[in-house]
Amino acid sequence: MEELTGVIDHFLFRNESNGYGVMELTTEDDDVICVGTIVGIEPGEMVAVTGDYVIHQQYGPQLKIDTIRVIPPTGVIGIERYLASGIIKGVGPKIAKRITRAFGEDSLKIISEQPERLTEIKGISERIAQAIAEQVIGKKEQQDALVFLAQYGVSQALSIKIYEQYGSLVYSVIRENPYRIVDDVEGVGFKKADDIASKVGIKTDSEYRIRCGIIYVLTQALNEGHTYLPKDLLISRAMELLGVGYDQVEEELPNLAMDKKLVIRYENDAENCYTSYLFHQELAVAKMLHDLDEEHISEKEDVLLSVVERVEKNLNLKLDDMQRRAVMLSMQCGVLIITGGPGTGKTTTINAVIHCIEQEGLDVMLAAPTGRAAKRMTEATGYEARTIHRMLELSGAVEMEGKGLYFERNENNPLEADVFIIDEMSMVDIQLFHALLKAIPPGARLVLVGDVNQLPSVGPGQVLKDLIDSKAFATVRLSHIFRQAEMSDIVVNAHKINRGESIALDTNSKDFLFLERQDPNVIYKHMIQLITEKLPGYVDATPVQIQVLTPTHIGPLGVETLNRVLQKYINPPSKDKREKEYGDNIYREGDKVMQIKNNYTLEWEMTGKNGIRIDKGVGVFNGDVGTVIEVNNVVGYILVEYEEKKQVKYTYDGLDELELAYAITIHKSQGSEYPAVLMPLLGGPKPLLNRNLLYTGVTRAKKCVMILGSRDTVNIMINNESDNKRYTGLCMRISEMKG
């Protein structure tokens, strides 16, 4: 480990959002390039840096920062350089020279303890003297706090956030109740607070620790899709996490409820525990849907029917009875749900709905949860569809609660349309649906379209299923498979799978094929041959457009292993392609990658000819797939281009949000459609081998499905109707609202 002391000359690169920077450090012996997290430190400051040298293949030696701290400047020259660097507003080179000429090595002491003496210097008034003193004192207080927090293993970036939140109170907060930072400081979770608490000496049975642990368990349950947990399940999970007894956890539940952090409800013969904000989101969703769901009957039934018939004639359509019913209801109901599997005419129905709405002289707005789904909706209807986030005008800010997003469109600035049609509703979680409903103006109509048999949303809730199960809103189930779709074994087999019926597992179909293979290495060989040689011409696609879908992350046929194997053959190393090794992955120019978590503050740009920016915004979302178009090892970033040519820069510290995407989990494929899908299925954890998962994977393919693996595994999935239960309260809230 190297230790260097010097002055920061300048930054070559700085990312304000995560603190990653590249700086030039001037030491007594040399100028050194240092890379790493550098927060709250400016050019001109003297710092002590520890780290290890790494040899960059193109730019030579760099010091990778382990720790960095500010050293108070010493000596007249050092103090003058510090004051003249621009760190202290109102002090430039001339004023800095006058201060050090007057007070010498005592300059900083005079500024801190006797700031009124600065008025002895020409050009410094009482107001300026006070402002200079406050900045110098503030800098020292901040550095003292950073040193204090560092002894508890807090990173510099997080220390800055904590100090900005508490100021001089940081010492009492950390020593008495470090669990406060979970609520008060964005990006801090229970695990980090618990680590600090253990180093401070907080007891394991502290009431603060138990309360924070309970909320942490409920928050973690969101990742499983739950909006609440039954009381006993919550307590057992908290006991396991905290290492305390049942009674100790149970007695803190009413205290959390009194603090309005928890809602405890007795429903369905059990006590259920919600985080307050999710309970109130479900309650608000039920109320807003209730208010929207009013009748819109301005014409008699026969008049509306004539409108539908005229649209059918104009579009050269022949709607079946259920499609026609859906279109009629879209002109009569405030809230309408249309659900159905592949080939049942959902898109045709949407088209007819749009044209009937236009016949009424109303404005319609279309949206879907993902860019891919919105693009497909646009192509299918000829009308612009946007992502829900884009339609609601996502801001980089976070809501006051710190629990959701901030959208420019809300109840105070509603969207401007009469009818809203949302596709792929199975993907919409309770938080996004809540934000959407807030932005829909009173009196508007809402048409929700989706396949309820698809996997539920990645986020908490199962909105579409709960709405249908509530039986509170007009719902049309499309079940008739149209003639053109009947010619596709993908469609036919998807419906068989959904009904639990066996399917032909052979190579006789044109678009649904199965190869029995038991050895993962043999499966790799076939997959590579299919992707690089056989399928591109067959489905008119590039190898990168062909998608491998798998149930699991780990194992020989999991995402991690498959991506390393596929990358080697689809995008092999080349002297013309720069790359970056990060963890177990290598990211190479030309690689297919996926964002694996919602990042609402990550900035994107769209550029036109000559690199001129034509649009910008924030937000990259879990499941977004793009291509690495640049690896910049000088500055330290990877540039990824997503759909609509949105370009996003990831610093190397941000690469934990990316994964290679030649193979992805079936869950992450929701809302997507691929020319061809390959599914390696050779055993796995029982919860993942279910009908719901297989059905979702099969319905992602447009032209060809190829399953490689075990016939027994496929049949187990078809026969396993159980899916992972989600604890959600929306259906109950709707029932309560309806009385």
Side-chain angles (χ1 to χ4, degrees), residues 1-54:
M1 184 80 69
E2 297 287 336
E3 296 184 14
L4 298 177
T5 301
V7 175
I8 300 176
D9 186 79
H10 66 282
F11 281 87
L12 287 81
F13 172 78
R14 200 167 195 179
N15 186 319
E16 297 295 343
S17 64
N18 61 18
Y20 181 83
V22 181
M23 70 178 189
E24 185 174 298
L25 182 71
T26 300
T27 70
E28 288 185 359
D29 301 322
D30 202 358
D31 292 339
V32 180
I33 300 299
C34 303
V35 299
T37 302
I38 311 165
V39 182
I41 302 175
E42 304 298 333
E45 292 192 279
M46 180 170 282
V47 294
V49 180
T50 65
D52 292 314
Y53 277 105
V54 294

Side-chain angles (χ1 to χ4, degrees), residues 408-422:
E408 298 292 343
R409 294 290 186 170
N410 50 44
E411 63 270 42
N412 299 316
N413 181 27
L415 295 163
E416 297 169 8
D418 303 300
V419 182
F420 297 86
I421 303 177
I422 312 298

Side-chain angles (χ1 to χ4, degrees), residues 313-548:
K313 184 177 179 181
N314 292 341
L315 297 179
N316 194 25
L317 296 176
K318 182 61 179 174
L319 302 176
D320 72 7
D321 290 343
M322 296 309 292
Q323 288 177 306
R324 190 174 288 110
R325 172 173 165 73
V327 178
M328 293 280 287
L329 287 172
S330 74
M331 295 186 285
Q332 297 172 315
C333 302
V335 178
L336 170 65
I337 301 165
I338 302 172
T339 185
T344 57
K346 293 193 297 296
T347 300
T348 300
T349 306
I350 291 174
N351 268 320
V353 168
I354 293 169
H355 283 83
C356 285
I357 290 167
E358 287 192 326
Q359 292 278 320
E360 293 183 273
L362 302 177
D363 293 326
V364 63
M365 196 172 281
L366 311 182
T370 67
R372 291 161 288 166
K375 184 179 179 182
R376 288 212 326 274
M377 199 178 186
T378 298
E379 292 169 349
T381 64
Y383 289 77
E384 181 193 6
R386 291 173 287 174
T387 65
I388 298 173
H389 292 91
R390 192 87 185 271
M391 182 174 74
L392 297 179
E393 299 174 19
L394 173 66
S395 166
V398 178
E399 282 186 351
M400 295 288 287
E401 294 176 312
K403 303 297 184 183
L405 315 180
Y406 178 77
F407 294 101
E408 298 292 343
R409 294 290 186 170
N410 50 44
E411 63 270 42
N412 299 316
N413 181 27
L415 295 163
E416 297 169 8
D418 303 300
V419 182
F420 297 86
I421 303 177
I422 312 298
D423 199 8
E424 295 287 358
M425 265 301 298
S426 63
M427 298 180 65
V428 177
D429 63 33
I430 188 66
Q431 294 169 310
L432 184 58
F433 195 50
H434 175 255
L436 171 67
L437 290 176
K438 286 203 300 181
I440 292 178
R445 300 182 213 165
L446 180 61
V447 180
L448 307 174
V449 185
D451 184 349
V452 73
N453 295 307
Q454 298 281 357
L455 289 168
S457 57
V458 174
Q462 46 187 5
V463 172
L464 183 60
K465 183 178 186 300
D466 281 350
L467 295 184
I468 293 172
D469 288 349
S470 75
K471 299 180 181 177
F473 309 102
T475 301
V476 177
R477 293 179 183 267
L478 303 178
S479 57
H480 174 69
I481 303 175
F482 286 85
R483 184 176 301 173
Q484 186 175 356
E486 284 180 336
M487 298 171 64
S488 166
D489 285 329
I490 296 173
V491 172
V492 172
N493 285 340
H495 285 273
K496 285 185 176 181
I497 290 167
N498 192 43
R499 294 192 297 266
E501 300 173 6
S502 61
I503 58 175
L505 296 173
D506 53 39
T507 56
N508 297 327
S509 171
K510 289 183 179 180
D511 63 1
F512 196 106
L513 305 126
F514 173 82
L515 286 178
E516 178 88 35
R517 297 292 184 269
Q518 300 293 335
D519 184 342
N521 290 309
V522 175
I523 291 176
Y524 300 155
K525 178 182 175 182
H526 284 298
M527 287 174 61
I528 291 160
Q529 189 177 34
L530 285 163
I531 292 171
T532 59
E533 299 174 22
K534 303 286 187 183
L535 284 175
Y538 188 67
V539 298
D540 190 26
T542 65
V544 171
Q545 291 174 316
I546 295 166
Q547 188 63 56
V548 176

Side-chain angles (χ1 to χ4, degrees), residues 688-705:
L688 294 177
L689 300 182
N690 63 61
R691 184 185 302 173
N692 201 212
L693 201 74
L694 180 61
Y695 174 80
T696 300
V698 166
T699 54
R700 300 306 90 205
K702 188 174 183 180
K703 296 181 180 179
C704 183
V705 169

